Amino acid sequence: MTVSGPGNPEPQSVGPGASSVEQLRKDGNELFKCGDYEGALTAYTQALGLGATPQDQAILHRNRAACHLKLEDYEKAETEATKAIEKDGGDIKALYRRSQALEKLGRLDQAVLDLQRCVSLEPKNKVFQEALRNIAGQIQEKVRYMSSTDAKVEQMFQILLDPQEKGTEKKQKASQNLVVLAREDAGAEKIFRSNGVQLLQRLLDTGEPDLMLAALRTLVGICSEHQSRTVATLSVLGTRRVVSMLGVENQAVSLAACHLLQVMFDALKEGVKKGFRGKEGAIIVDPARELKVLISNLLELLTEVGVSGQGRDNALTLLIKVVPRKSPKDPNNSLTLWVIDQGLKKILEVGGSVQDPPGELTVTANSRMSASILLSKLFDDLKCDAERENFHRLCENYIKSWFEGHGLAGKLRAIQTVSCLLQGPCDAGNRALELNGVMESVIALCASEQEEEQLVAVETLIHAAGKAKRASFITANGVSLLKDLYKRSEKDSIRIRALVGLCKLGSAGGTDFSMKQFAEGSTLKLAKQCRKWLCNDQMDVGTRRWAVEGLAYLTFDADVKEEFVEDAAALKALFQLSKSEERSVLFAVASALVNCTNSYDYEEPDPKMVELAKYAKQHVPEQHPKDKPSFVRARVKKLLAAGVVSAMTCMVKTESPVLTSSCRELLSRVFLALVEEVEDRGTVVAQGGGKALLPLALEGTDVGQTKAAQALAKLTITSNPEMTFPGERIYEVVRPLISLLHLNCSGLQNFEALMALTNLAGISERLRQKILKEKAVPMIEGYMFEEHEMLRRAATECMCNLAMSKEVQDLFEATGNDRLKLLVLYSGEDDELLRRAPAGGLAMLTSTRPSLCSRIPQVTTHWLEILQALLLSPSQELQHRGAVVVLNMVEASREIASTLMESEVLEILSVLAKDEETPVTRAATACLGKAVEYGLIKPSQDGK
């Protein structure tokens, strides 16, 4: 009896629409056998909609359960199997499938009941007996584990709460053991049921950083992916108490609290998605309400006096992560609308913070940038004009409330808020600039004698210069003002910002060599001054950041790029700054590197269109002579020698909202440029580039992920993947590579992905299983039919490596497909490089699946010619593969052997057998020996 799939179902009963139901069921069964579980699921669903009888419905539901098991959606598998059992209480296949789903969901007590029922219905079924023994063993192990941890948990808390043990090694070990125990679900459950949350609260009350860290990290294990424990924890500790721990001065404790809150948010959001149902299946209070309470407390924390700057930054980071929708496909942006209504003013208050006098908010160098990013995320999450208009109205009302009636201090805060908006949702910033008196105040404050006022005004002017609506006004009116500030100000903090404003305005032409705003040589002078300030380590980091901002604009100019990469001290200072606590510099560093490596998008203009534009007296963009490939390659090598990869690796590791999706995309572009040349890839790998590319390929913009995935593919093709991605990391490479197989990717990206997957598929069975699990086989098969010979060859090589897996061999053995035919036909192609892979695949498949030998003559009438061509090939490699295929066919069947011996194959084998001792000779001799054994031929006089 078959229990693992929907094949061999009972005959359908005859009724209205029965033939259609039966046909769809059969179609589904065939799709299931071929590994197309999604397709099978669709067929069974359609059959259910055609008025199937109760018996038919039971069969179709249990078949759907089998599909969901294969797709690893165990909750749906359980649901479908239950529906089948409701239709037919004695459906043994449905009972078994439900037990499999329950086992995967961790509900062993329920799974064992279904298996006991299966065994009672079929006492002699070994599959059921083995499954029952396995689950019984798991239950016993869990009971043993739980009982053994009882005493351990109690002992650990006793040590941790004992005042006599203060600062001892024993206490440190107990805290580590508690954290480790909580990482396992069973251990977390044991701690939770042993009054653990109340005891952890006592640890938090001690105020000792080490004990607080241990308590917070243990709570992470308790709450992880478990909404009911999360809600219970919040109930015991108090939402306000948990959130307030973000604001403590100790940075490690604040970060641990941030991690705990992130885990709590994830558990609650999953609860909202699943309709109040947690992993343990309990019904709890509405998680959406708990979510809003948590967010409300975070918003309150933003404007609390006494909260540390680090805590404020962590609160902003959490809001950035949890409030906006993950995908625009999700229609529900109600959480964003709620946060805008309840907390927009609080976020603007952080963004408008000017200084840190007593009574004001404590902020870090990164706080205002984090506020800008959160505002931008919220604005981007709005779906319609009415929602955006409400956002604009709230922002403008807040700015007006400070600008009018609060004197100079109020105007300063209002302008700082405008500056924050210009760095985030610039549409809102542009509108705020147009409010009555704002732009005039910005210009006036640039001439202020107070440094703080000048700083705010100049920064706002710089941010406004990049916005198309204001740029022409500022170009006309701001350049003279900025030049005046740059030349006459005695303060470097003002001069460097004025310089950045000039840089920004001077780069308006981008990479277009013919569109220069300033006189010849001026751009180089500005860049030289930026590099000088960048290298001045006597200046504070916040001021030096502006030098990088200036270079990010000026490096559009190829002359500036060339001088920059020659300046070893400037590059060293740039990379050191990228690793500093000043995280807001990351985007500027990444932008400068993109410019230096020319990894921005650039299309060569069509010569015909250029001529047409000249004729029409239209402007034609010109590329700088030093932006040609040879110059770019030289710059890349200088950056690599200066240590750019290690700096970028540190940037990727940054746990900060400043590392936005756009910033990730810039880093991905640079990495792709760095690995373009094969000889540079070893340097990139040695400096940790492979490890850094993985997160870039899994998170960010679509373009960024694609660029990072292509860089991963290049590394995987030319280096040993096991060395480049050691340990478990190698399995993370698979998904990004498969993403390059989609049709929206270029032919080069498709080809490199196939080559990289071929390498991975040849390493281990576990990697092949990972590729199969990611549903890559249909895409790879699609490329086997491509017209482009290199794509076709790469796909065939990849499929033949995957054919070492049993599942892929099953696909070749299944009836009703042309997979075997394609390999046979490709083995007869003129392209020798293409022939190698399918010939090797045939040799392996005919060895592991002898049944395929009898099908080769059926797939094409040219099979004999193809085998003969392989045996006669000048390539010994192809000869050997052909000889192995023939040997496997001869050994598989006397009938096939007879056909082969009656053809020219006998003569070819006889000649090959007389050659010097080689693998080909041995295979040919073995073929003839088997033919003699069958009595098809006779040995020669000398017995050979």
Side-chain angles (χ1 to χ4, degrees):
M1 172 186 159
T2 302
V3 292
S4 59
N8 306 320
E10 292 84 346
Q12 298 274 319
S13 56
V14 178
S19 59
S20 300
V21 170
E22 186 172 356
Q23 186 56 50
L24 283 166
R25 179 186 60 78
K26 287 179 179 177
D27 292 344
N29 292 348
E30 287 302 317
L31 289 165
F32 187 95
K33 288 175 186 175
C34 295
D36 184 359
Y37 308 120
E38 294 281 6
L41 202 55
T42 302
Y44 297 139
T45 305
Q46 289 173 349
L48 278 169
L50 294 178
T53 64
Q55 185 185 348
D56 297 337
Q57 289 176 27
I59 294 168
L60 291 165
H61 280 302
R62 76 162 184 237
N63 286 1
R64 281 171 55 80
C67 293
H68 286 305
L69 284 171
K70 289 290 187 182
L71 294 167
E72 300 184 9
D73 191 339
Y74 302 116
E75 287 191 355
K76 286 184 180 176
E78 181 213 349
T79 302
E80 290 296 332
T82 300
K83 287 179 181 177
I85 294 163
E86 287 170 357
K87 299 289 181 185
D88 180 0
D91 192 330
I92 198 164
K93 287 185 180 181
L95 283 164
Y96 180 65
R97 283 170 196 155
R98 188 168 72 175
S99 74
Q100 289 177 300
L102 290 167
E103 180 185 357
K104 292 292 185 181
L105 290 168
R107 288 146 65 183
L108 301 180
D109 52 340
Q110 292 171 282
V112 80
L113 294 174
D114 280 347
L115 278 173
Q116 286 171 344
R117 173 82 171 135
C118 290
V119 171
S120 69
L121 291 169
E122 287 192 15
K124 295 182 180 179
N125 190 307
K126 292 182 180 179
V127 173
F128 297 155
Q129 292 170 359
E130 182 60 34
L132 188 59
R133 276 195 296 272
N134 180 42
I135 284 197
Q138 288 182 55
I139 291 172
Q140 288 176 359
E141 183 60 35
K142 189 174 180 180
V143 169
R144 275 199 301 272
Y145 177 79
M146 295 294 277
S147 58
S148 68
T149 55
D150 277 345
K152 288 181 184 175
V153 170
E154 188 178 344
Q155 187 182 15
M156 282 186 274
F157 276 116
Q158 281 178 353
I159 294 168
L160 291 169
L161 293 168
D162 186 352
Q164 303 300 319
E165 295 284 355
K166 190 171 184 179
T168 64
E169 187 180 336
K170 196 174 179 184
K171 201 164 195 171
Q172 187 179 12
K173 193 171 182 181
S175 66
Q176 289 172 349
N177 289 340
L178 195 64
V179 173
V180 170
L181 183 64
R183 286 177 188 156
E184 295 292 330
D185 189 61
E189 184 67 19
K190 176 51 42 186
I191 295 170
F192 180 74
R193 293 188 182 279
S194 302
N195 206 31
V197 178
Q198 286 85 348
L199 293 170
L200 289 168
Q201 184 177 26
R202 288 174 60 189
L203 290 181
L204 292 171
D205 290 339
T206 63
E208 294 181 35
D210 288 344
L211 292 181
M212 291 178 76
L213 282 172
L216 289 167
R217 288 167 182 166
T218 305
L219 286 166
V220 165
I222 289 172
C223 297
S224 184
E225 297 182 18
H226 206 295
Q227 60 166 321
S228 63
R229 288 203 299 248
T230 297
V231 173
T233 300
L234 286 169
S235 176
V236 172
L237 298 179
T239 305
R240 186 73 193 145
R241 169 72 191 280
V242 177
V243 172
S244 68
M245 283 186 289
L246 279 176
V248 300
E249 288 295 335
N250 187 294
Q251 286 194 14
V253 173
S254 179
L255 280 171
C258 183
H259 186 205
L260 172 60
L261 283 163
Q262 177 69 63
V263 166
M264 287 178 158
F265 274 120
D266 290 343
L268 292 172
K269 284 193 117 177
E270 193 61 27
V272 173
K273 198 186 298 179
K274 291 185 177 179
F276 314 164
R277 184 183 172 92
K279 185 168 74 174
E280 73 295 344
I283 302 299
I284 64 163
V285 295
D286 183 356
R289 178 187 164 280
E290 298 294 328
L291 199 62
K292 283 189 175 179
V293 170
L294 260 181
I295 292 173
S296 179
N297 278 277
L298 279 178
L299 292 170
E300 291 293 332
L301 187 82
L302 290 180
T303 53
E304 272 187 28
V305 176
V307 171
S308 69
Q310 176 75 26
R312 219 177 300 281
D313 287 356
N314 287 336
L316 288 166
T317 301
L318 280 168
L319 290 167
I320 289 166
K321 287 181 177 177
V322 303
V323 176
R325 293 171 294 168
K326 295 293 183 189
S327 167
K329 293 178 183 176
D330 178 2
N332 184 9
N333 69 340
S334 58
L335 197 55
T336 293
L337 297 176
W338 183 81
V339 167
I340 288 171
D341 287 338
Q342 300 295 317
L344 185 62
K345 289 182 181 178
K346 293 180 173 64
I347 301 165
L348 290 171
E349 193 168 336
V350 178
S353 300
V354 180
Q355 50 194 351
D356 303 315
E360 288 288 339
L361 301 182
T362 306
V363 293
T364 69
N366 301 314
S367 300
R368 286 193 289 270
M369 179 59 78
S370 296
S372 293
I373 292 166
L374 175 55
L375 289 166
S376 182
K377 294 269 187 186
L378 293 174
F379 188 77
D380 291 343
D381 204 37
L382 300 177
K383 296 192 296 184
C384 64
D385 289 343
E387 291 174 358
R388 284 184 276 274
E389 191 57 41
N390 179 56
F391 186 96
H392 289 312
R393 181 180 54 78
L394 291 171
C395 289
E396 288 166 16
N397 287 345
Y398 178 83
I399 291 165
K400 284 179 188 175
S401 70
W402 279 103
F403 195 77
E404 300 165 359
H406 287 84
L408 184 58
K411 283 184 169 54
L412 209 58
R413 179 177 279 277
I415 291 169
Q416 181 69 283
T417 307
V418 173
S419 179
C420 174
L421 287 169
L422 285 166
Q423 292 177 81
C426 56
D427 285 349
N430 272 326
R431 280 187 48 163
L433 270 179
E434 292 167 5
L435 291 173
N436 187 33
V438 171
M439 196 68 200
E440 292 77 4
S441 295
V442 171
I443 300 292
L445 284 171
C446 283
S448 171
E449 293 181 2
Q450 296 296 319
E451 184 178 0
E452 293 81 6
E453 295 169 8
Q454 267 192 313
L455 286 175
V456 172
V458 173
E459 284 184 21
T460 305
L461 198 61
I462 292 167
H463 297 315
K467 315 306 168 190
K469 196 176 284 188
R470 306 300 308 184
S472 57
F473 170 83
I474 294 166
T475 304
N477 303 281
V479 171
S480 58
L481 175 63
L482 290 169
K483 279 184 178 178
D484 193 53
L485 284 170
Y486 175 58
K487 289 176 182 177
R488 297 187 183 184
S489 178
E490 296 176 0
K491 303 179 185 74
D492 280 343
S493 58
I494 301 297
R495 292 186 69 220
I496 197 168
R497 284 164 173 80
L499 176 60
V500 171
L502 291 170
C503 294
K504 201 167 187 178
L505 294 170
S507 65
T511 57
D512 185 353
F513 183 45
S514 64
M515 290 278 288
K516 294 299 162 192
Q517 301 294 314
F518 297 149
E520 188 70 32
S522 296
T523 307
L524 285 172
K525 286 179 184 176
L526 292 175
K528 187 175 181 181
Q529 185 59 57
C530 280
R531 297 205 308 274
K532 182 181 174 182
W533 271 322
L534 175 61
C535 296
N536 184 358
D537 55 12
Q538 299 302 309
M539 296 175 74
D540 67 276
V541 174
T543 302
R544 289 167 67 203
R545 169 178 78 86
W546 286 95
V548 185
E549 292 274 356
L551 288 168
Y553 292 109
L554 293 174
T555 46
F556 279 122
D557 187 303
D559 289 317
V560 173
K561 300 178 199 181
E562 288 296 313
E563 286 194 1
F564 187 33
V565 297
E566 292 290 348
D567 190 338
L571 287 178
K572 184 180 178 183
L574 179 78
F575 298 154
Q576 285 177 342
L577 201 60
S578 71
K579 300 173 186 177
S580 71
E581 290 298 314
E582 180 68 45
R583 310 320 294 164
S584 54
V585 78
L586 295 184
F587 192 86
V589 173
S591 298
L593 292 174
V594 164
N595 292 340
C596 288
T597 56
N598 282 37
S599 44
Y600 41 73
D601 290 327
Y602 175 78
E603 287 186 22
E604 286 286 345
D606 185 336
K608 291 181 180 177
M609 295 302 293
V610 170
E611 289 302 318
L612 191 62
K614 285 179 179 176
Y615 178 76
K617 297 183 180 179
Q618 296 292 316
H619 172 70
V620 180
E622 294 178 23
Q623 187 181 35
H624 197 292
K626 291 180 181 177
D627 271 334
K628 290 184 177 172
S630 58
F631 284 91
V632 176
R633 283 196 293 271
R635 290 201 293 265
V636 165
K637 291 191 182 300
K638 287 169 186 171
L639 287 169
L640 285 168
V644 67
V645 176
S646 58
M648 288 173 62
T649 302
C650 289
M651 290 167 72
V652 173
K653 290 178 183 174
T654 301
E655 286 289 334
S656 167
V658 175
L659 190 66
T660 59
S661 296
S662 300
C663 189
R664 285 172 174 275
E665 181 184 320
L666 295 179
L667 292 173
S668 298
R669 287 175 179 277
V670 178
F671 267 121
L672 183 56
L674 296 178
V675 299
E676 191 61 41
E677 298 294 319
V678 174
E679 62 266 26
D680 295 334
R681 294 174 192 173
T683 305
V684 173
V685 171
Q687 294 181 15
K691 181 180 178 181
L693 276 165
L694 282 168
L696 293 176
L698 295 169
E699 187 180 345
T701 65
D702 290 342
V703 171
Q705 289 183 60
T706 301
K707 299 279 185 190
Q710 190 177 2
L712 284 173
K714 288 179 186 290
L715 293 179
T716 309
I717 291 167
T718 53
S719 60
N720 181 349
E722 292 175 292
M723 300 284 285
T724 307
F725 312 105
E728 293 296 303
R729 207 168 288 140
I730 195 170
Y731 302 100
E732 296 175 36
V733 181
V734 173
R735 184 173 294 173
L737 293 180
I738 291 172
S739 72
L740 294 177
L741 297 180
H742 293 295
L743 295 175
N744 58 345
C745 294
S746 68
L748 177 61
Q749 290 167 341
N750 300 152
F751 174 73
E752 289 178 333
L754 289 166
M755 293 285 286
L757 288 168
T758 300
N759 279 2
L760 293 180
I763 291 174
S764 70
E765 178 59 24
R766 189 178 166 195
L767 270 168
R768 288 190 288 274
Q769 288 297 323
K770 177 67 176 172
I771 294 169
L772 294 176
K773 187 178 176 182
E774 294 292 337
K775 303 184 179 73
V777 170
M779 288 187 276
I780 295 168
E781 284 183 327
Y783 285 106
M784 289 175 72
F785 293 93
E786 271 287 335
E787 289 184 17
H788 196 290
E789 61 181 24
M790 292 181 72
L791 271 175
R792 192 166 67 241
R793 184 194 308 154
T796 306
E797 288 173 355
C798 187
M799 182 56 70
C800 290
N801 273 3
L802 287 172
M804 288 187 273
S805 287
K806 177 184 176 296
E807 287 82 354
V808 178
Q809 292 169 13
D810 289 342
L811 295 178
F812 276 93
E813 201 168 26
T815 56
N817 69 77
D818 291 331
R819 294 184 179 93
L820 184 64
K821 179 178 181 178
L822 196 61
L823 287 192
V824 175
L825 291 174
Y826 279 179
S827 298
E829 286 282 313
D830 294 333
D831 180 0
E832 185 179 318
L833 292 173
L834 175 59
R835 294 169 73 195
R836 284 181 188 174
L842 280 176
M844 188 267 296
L845 285 167
T846 51
S847 175
T848 56
R849 298 294 172 101
S851 62
L852 292 175
C853 295
S854 59
R855 285 176 50 193
I856 288 177
Q858 300 168 13
V859 296
T860 174
T861 55
H862 301 290
W863 68 280
L864 268 174
E865 298 166 35
I866 291 168
L867 289 178
Q868 289 166 16
L870 286 173
L871 293 171
L872 291 170
S873 170
S875 163
Q876 194 169 52
E877 186 181 357
L878 281 176
Q879 269 193 333
H880 180 235
R881 293 178 183 193
V884 170
V885 174
V886 172
L887 176 59
N888 291 336
M889 292 178 74
V890 167
E891 289 180 337
S893 160
R894 186 181 186 280
E895 184 183 348
I896 299 172
S898 174
T899 306
L900 287 165
M901 293 305 129
E902 290 170 3
S903 70
E904 293 178 17
V905 170
L906 174 58
E907 186 180 342
I908 298 168
L909 289 173
S910 301
V911 173
L912 292 175
K914 292 175 184 177
D915 286 346
E916 294 179 12
E917 181 73 11
T918 64
V920 177
T921 308
R922 288 194 290 273
T925 305
C927 287
L928 295 172
K930 192 68 180 176
V932 169
E933 187 183 318
Y934 284 145
L936 298 173
I937 60 172
K938 292 182 180 179
S940 58
Q941 292 294 327
D942 56 5
K944 293 184 180 179

